[in-house]
Amino acid sequence: MTTEVAIAPTIQSLPENEKFPPSRSLWGDALLRIKRDRIALICIGILSLYSIIALTCQFGWIATPWDKVVGAAYQPPSFSSIELIFGTDLFGRSVFFKVLHGTRIAMSVGLMSSLLSIPVGVTLGALAGYFGGWVDDLIVWFYTTVSSIPNIMLLISVTFVLGKGLSAMYVALGVTAWVGLARVMRGEFIKHKSREYVLAAESIGAGHLSRIFKHILPNVSHFIIINLSIQFVSAIKSEVILSFLGLGVQGQPSWGVMIDDAKLELSRGVWWQLAGATFAMFFVVLAFNLLGDSLRDALDPKLKH
Amino acid sequence: MFAYIVRKLLSTIPTLLGVALIVFALFNLVGGDPTYQMLGRHANAQQIEEVRHEYGFDQSRPVQFLNYLKQIVTFDYGRSYSTRQSISQMIGDGIVPSLSLMIPAFLLTTLLSIAIGLGAAYFRGKAIDRVTVILCIFGMSLPMLGYILFGQYFFAFKLGWFPISGYETAWPDRVQYIIMPMVIFVLVSLGYDVRFYRTAILEETSQDYVRTARAKGLSEPVIFFRHVLKNSMVPILTNIVIEIPLLILGAFLLESFFGIPGLGSITIDAVNNSDFPVIKAMTTLVAFLYILGNLATDVLYTLVDPRVRLK
């Protein structure tokens, strides 16, 4: 009794900042780290801007119609109006509007391919790592095989087989991109499946599915977020290359299509279409690269100390 | 050593079969009858019948798969649909131009990026290291097509230092056509590679043996070049294999832009002409080469790190 009485006032009499800091979860801690990281905040700002542009273009609130004739063919950039700020293309259409619509395509390709590949990668990786044995052998064989076909060849073949166009590209990027995530998830599930908390869950009667999705998955889900930034970068880069090869977007402006056009324009001194698409792509890829690094630092417990 | 190589060799067989199965499923099952893709919409019944017979689409699926396996083993992929040439012949003609561009480009990239990565790790935390890292991230974020178009426009078209495109089979003349695409490949890959090697080397420098080496009074350059570099060989080799797909992509874009008649140009032409058999053959070939590359690295691991053999 006496000790309890003696201790209680001592803690309370401590100044505010010397008390134990409140414990933080992985996500709470990561959020705090990101908030302190100025570069990460700038990147989030840039990515939000790109997302807003993509959404407003999607709903037709800005830059519509993109194929409106705003001036003469190949008019160089000028500050006389917002439409002419990046000049015009062969048909007198605003390059600025095309860049904005290219943003819509690029972001949608990143998002859709992630939505397709994340469930596949997580499920296959989780099953392989959790169950082991022949399930593991089969899944590892499957993703080793898929990753043995270099990505660009697989992308070309899938879009070639499915036909050209945006939705074929979503699928092609989705079915080629899950391998990396599956590999990471498998490794994490192998690590986690025999930890105490999973054994505890088992002892109170949690079944396999409950252990995989309710207990282990929340503890490894930060790898999905880290993977997301890598996924977006590779999707945006692949979109440009596929559109450039004529296998991607048809009849819509995309950065790849613009760079393809620029191939013939450069010799006439028309550089603005190339510059517009290249820089639009540069900033978004840069933001994803830097944010990916910050997220890895903030979320990966191994790197913390 | 011998048992290890045999074990690795046997373990590639399921992967090779898997690749064959996926490519076959993709081209012959998912895509439906590829005849229509090859002929377009305005084909008459007789043309369709001829094509179906020539490429064996009129046979049953298992027979088609066996034929495909036979093509792989005998390296006889039939004829291209658009040029009517033998595909094996096309590959044979394309392989030398491709290699004479990509081998020097790849060697130069690897040597240069290891050297810069080592330098950055040596000066870790100093201004020169930070500038290198920032330049790498910027370089990584620019699209490859941007490098190609700018390089071709500025250095070849504007300044006239190099031919804009073309290829020569005689040796000293070939060099001038290869330099420009080679430099572009090096610039494109440098950002990622330097960053990777710097991290790999920095991870090594926190190992115990480095502390021991410092404690016994070895100088920093000796520690770096004799001990750290040797121990970083495993991640370096791993990265070299990871880079192979980038090498293939580079070959595609650079060859088609600079008019080098290599495997990349062949594939791009095939894509543009909807040349189904060529794309299928190239996909198979490239995947098999990649698996061979992986196998070669597994063997090289044992040379740089004898511990690998025991696992």
Side-chain angles (χ1 to χ4, degrees):
Chain A
M1 269 313 268
T2 44
T3 46
E4 271 176 39
V5 175
I7 289 169
T10 338
I11 290 181
Q12 257 158 19
S13 62
L14 278 171
E16 196 63 28
N17 55 354
E18 281 177 35
K19 282 185 194 168
F20 294 108
S23 70
R24 291 193 301 264
S25 67
L26 173 72
W27 293 97
D29 185 52
L31 201 66
L32 204 74
R33 281 163 188 270
I34 293 285
K35 270 186 195 159
R36 284 195 204 129
D37 187 344
R38 202 170 296 156
I39 293 178
L41 288 179
I42 295 174
C43 291
I44 292 174
I46 294 176
L47 295 178
S48 315
L49 181 70
Y50 272 83
S51 311
I52 291 168
I53 291 174
L55 281 175
T56 46
C57 278
Q58 180 68 43
F59 293 128
W61 293 338
I62 56 166
T64 1
W66 65 273
D67 49 0
K68 188 174 70 178
V69 175
V70 296
Y74 292 142
Q75 214 167 311
S78 72
F79 289 104
S80 54
S81 81
I82 187 94
E83 289 159 346
L84 294 176
I85 203 159
F86 287 174
T88 62
D89 69 354
L90 171 64
F91 302 107
R93 300 176 298 203
S94 164
V95 172
F96 182 57
F97 282 9
K98 286 172 83 176
V99 169
L100 293 181
H101 275 268
T103 309
R104 173 176 68 89
I105 303 280
M107 296 304 269
S108 79
V109 164
L111 184 70
M112 292 303 287
S113 71
S114 306
L115 286 181
L116 284 171
S117 69
I118 286 176
V120 179
V122 170
T123 311
L124 288 183
L127 291 178
Y130 181 81
F131 287 111
W134 66 269
V135 180
D136 188 34
D137 288 343
L138 190 69
I139 293 173
V140 169
W141 168 78
F142 186 51
Y143 73 56
T144 316
T145 305
V146 172
S147 65
S148 295
I149 306 175
N151 218 354
I152 182 69
M153 287 312 295
L154 200 56
L155 280 175
I156 289 179
S157 340
V158 174
T159 40
F160 186 75
V161 165
L162 293 181
K164 298 165 182 179
L166 201 52
S167 44
M169 199 157 61
Y170 293 152
V171 176
L173 288 167
V175 299
T176 55
W178 58 272
V179 175
L181 186 61
R183 218 174 244 152
V184 174
M185 279 293 148
R186 173 178 174 268
E188 290 303 313
F189 267 78
I190 289 175
K191 258 194 270 171
H192 279 258
K193 69 176 174 190
S194 51
R195 294 232 172 125
E196 281 89 348
Y197 73 92
V198 183
L199 299 179
E202 188 184 359
S203 67
I204 58 168
H208 289 307
L209 281 180
S210 158
R211 268 178 272 163
I212 292 177
F213 291 105
K214 210 169 139 199
H215 297 277
I216 304 180
L217 191 59
N219 284 302
V220 298
S221 55
H222 54 284
F223 286 99
I224 302 175
I225 303 287
I226 296 172
N227 184 267
L228 202 64
S229 65
I230 303 170
Q231 167 83 63
F232 258 83
V233 170
S234 78
I236 290 171
K237 286 188 164 175
S238 307
E239 183 276 320
V240 169
I241 285 161
L242 285 177
S243 295
F244 171 77
L245 290 177
L247 290 170
V249 189
Q250 310 285 316
Q252 290 185 68
S254 92
W255 298 337
V257 175
M258 292 173 73
I259 292 176
D260 188 29
D261 290 346
K263 183 171 71 172
L264 300 170
E265 296 167 358
L266 273 179
S267 55
R268 302 186 196 174
V270 180
W271 49 267
W272 39 92
Q273 186 140 235
L274 174 66
T278 305
F279 281 107
M281 189 179 156
F282 171 72
F283 287 115
V284 70
V285 173
L286 183 67
F288 271 119
N289 277 337
L290 291 173
L291 185 66
D293 285 357
S294 295
L295 282 175
R296 208 180 348 253
D297 292 346
L299 283 167
D300 199 339
K302 269 187 297 183
L303 299 168
K304 266 182 193 165
H305 30 81
Chain B
M1 181 73 178
F2 184 70
Y4 173 82
I5 295 177
V6 169
R7 205 169 63 222
K8 281 285 163 194
L9 211 59
L10 287 178
S11 73
T12 57
I13 292 176
T15 321
L16 292 173
L17 271 176
V19 168
L21 209 59
I22 287 185
V23 174
F24 178 77
L26 203 58
F27 281 92
N28 293 44
L29 304 182
V30 182
D33 194 332
T35 320
Y36 300 99
Q37 276 175 345
M38 294 181 352
L39 290 173
R41 285 186 192 149
H42 309 288
N44 61 41
Q46 198 203 342
Q47 278 175 316
I48 291 173
E49 210 42 57
E50 276 172 14
V51 169
R52 283 172 62 91
H53 184 69
E54 182 181 350
Y55 292 99
F57 300 138
D58 48 356
Q59 283 161 319
S60 72
R61 292 267 153 74
V63 175
Q64 286 186 33
F65 184 63
L66 285 179
N67 283 341
Y68 172 55
L69 287 183
K70 198 177 124 206
Q71 286 184 337
I72 296 171
V73 174
T74 56
F75 197 68
D76 177 13
Y77 290 99
R79 284 179 183 284
S80 149
Y81 185 70
S82 60
T83 64
R84 308 302 301 163
Q85 261 182 305
S86 142
I87 295 173
S88 322
Q89 181 68 38
M90 287 165 73
I91 292 172
D93 290 343
I95 210 152
V96 174
S98 278
L99 290 183
S100 51
L101 167 64
M102 295 325 280
I103 286 179
F106 194 49
L107 282 180
L108 196 63
T109 309
T110 307
L111 290 178
L112 213 60
S113 49
I114 291 176
I116 299 175
L118 206 58
Y122 185 79
F123 294 108
R124 61 197 167 278
K126 298 219 172 85
I128 185 163
D129 174 39
R130 287 206 198 127
V131 170
T132 312
V133 171
I134 292 171
L135 281 179
C136 284
I137 296 178
F138 274 66
M140 270 165 71
S141 305
L142 278 168
M144 192 177 205
L145 287 166
Y147 282 98
I148 295 176
L149 282 167
F150 178 78
Q152 200 174 31
Y153 172 68
F154 193 72
F155 294 105
F157 180 72
K158 276 267 162 170
L159 299 178
W161 290 359
F162 306 99
I164 292 173
S165 78
Y167 186 72
E168 185 65 58
T169 39
W171 249 114
D173 293 334
R174 194 187 293 184
V175 176
Q176 59 168 335
Y177 291 103
I178 286 170
I179 288 178
M180 190 70 217
M182 188 177 81
V183 170
I184 289 175
F185 182 81
V186 172
L187 285 177
V188 171
S189 343
L190 217 51
Y192 176 82
D193 278 10
V194 168
R195 228 163 77 100
F196 182 89
Y197 293 137
R198 178 184 167 275
T199 315
I201 291 165
L202 274 183
E203 249 163 52
E204 276 305 314
T205 54
S206 58
Q207 300 282 327
D208 286 342
Y209 73 85
V210 175
R211 198 178 357 157
T212 311
R214 287 204 180 110
K216 71 175 188 183
L218 290 184
S219 70
E220 282 291 302
V222 171
I223 295 174
F224 258 81
F225 288 97
R226 197 180 294 161
H227 296 287
V228 173
L229 185 59
K230 206 187 260 174
N231 278 289
S232 315
M233 281 315 279
V234 168
I236 288 174
L237 274 178
T238 310
N239 189 53
I240 287 177
V241 178
I242 295 173
E243 293 283 278
I244 293 178
L246 182 72
L247 201 65
I248 292 158
L249 176 65
F252 278 17
L253 299 178
L254 289 167
E255 284 176 10
S256 82
F257 266 99
F258 288 94
I260 295 168
L263 299 178
S265 293
I266 293 174
T267 316
I268 301 242
D269 288 346
V271 169
N272 290 333
N273 295 327
S274 293
D275 199 334
F276 175 89
V278 175
I279 299 179
K280 190 173 162 189
M282 288 303 300
T283 310
T284 316
L285 187 76
V286 166
F288 278 33
L289 284 178
Y290 183 57
I291 294 171
L292 280 183
N294 261 320
L295 191 66
T297 340
D298 280 338
V299 175
L300 283 177
Y301 279 146
T302 64
L303 296 181
V304 297
D305 189 352
R307 283 170 299 181
V308 170
R309 244 175 293 168
L310 301 172
K311 280 176 199 164

